[in-house]
Amino acid sequence: MQLDVLAFGAHPDDVELFAGGTMAKMAALGYSTGIVDMTRGELGTRGTAALRRHEAAKAAEILRVKVRENLGLSDGEVSVTPQARLKVIRLLRKYRPQLVLTHYWDDRHPDHAHTSRLVAEAVHHSGLAKIKTRQERHRPRIILYFKIPPHTIPSFIVDVSDHIEQRTAAIAAHRSQLFDPSSREPSTTLSQPDFLTHVETIHSFYGTLIGKKKGEAFHIKGILEIKDPVLHFR
Ligand SMILES: [Zn+2]
């Protein structure tokens, strides 16, 4: 199956949290989308790998992604190795996306930072004919980096105002990670009562920057080309 968009997150809830609205919007526009989780999130303080797999499948359904795969790398140990890179290359050549989404490289969580580098290297190497996987080579056109740090100006912002309910429901599908007054598991940043409000505030901020209700920000390496300025700014 060929996909238009493939998003890579280190843990099963990352894509939902940082690009869930964009994934929902692209599916609504008729593009075929997919998510790859690098790990099963088994090192997470709350929930189990099995529960998280179930939650991730539910979130994928809500975002209408056609494919959700898990690379099975070790949570907390995501590293840029030739073996891990090859796993990503196989998926890129299998699904042949034009757009790849992943974490911004400057992130204090080592798994996020390493996922970013791993995906960027795989996107490049996937286009090299001499890297053999018994598949045709394929290099996606661009990587859109999400969860950009506060000091980095977005390259662009996607208006996701019409897809907030879907994104919220997809995030809520990861129930084991979020605030639950009846839970006896240890608390984490995500499980704080205010966490979802903070997420919403960031997206309101990005939305405000483009005069919309909610937005998701992305960074690209290089400068964004506009083919037709009149059409673009009309
Ligand atoms: Zn994560």
Side-chain angles (χ1 to χ4, degrees), residues 182-203:
S182 64
S183 172
R184 290 186 184 171
E185 292 196 279
S187 66
T188 65
T189 308
L190 259 73
S191 74
Q192 298 303 308
D194 287 342
F195 176 75
L196 289 179
T197 312
H198 292 163
V199 171
E200 284 307 309
T201 306
I202 290 169
H203 294 115

Side-chain angles (χ1 to χ4, degrees), residues 10-11 13-14 18 103 109 112:
H11 309 106
D13 49 6
D14 285 328
F18 308 114
H103 295 268
H109 196 309
H112 294 181

Side-chain angles (χ1 to χ4, degrees), residues 126-182:
S126 177
L128 301 176
K130 285 186 179 164
I131 293 189
K132 303 285 184 196
T133 59
R134 294 185 186 172
Q135 297 160 295
E136 248 184 80
R137 66 178 168 154
H138 171 74
R139 185 173 293 150
R141 289 185 65 83
I142 197 157
I143 305 174
L144 313 184
Y145 294 94
F146 54 69
K147 196 178 180 250
I148 55 181
H151 56 266
T152 301
I153 296 173
S155 300
F156 62 90
I157 293 169
V158 177
D159 172 16
V160 296
S161 309
D162 293 338
H163 303 277
I164 289 310
E165 278 179 27
Q166 250 175 300
R167 192 190 65 203
T168 307
I171 293 171
H174 296 276
R175 231 177 118 189
S176 66
Q177 306 302 302
L178 301 170
F179 177 64
D180 174 1
S182 64

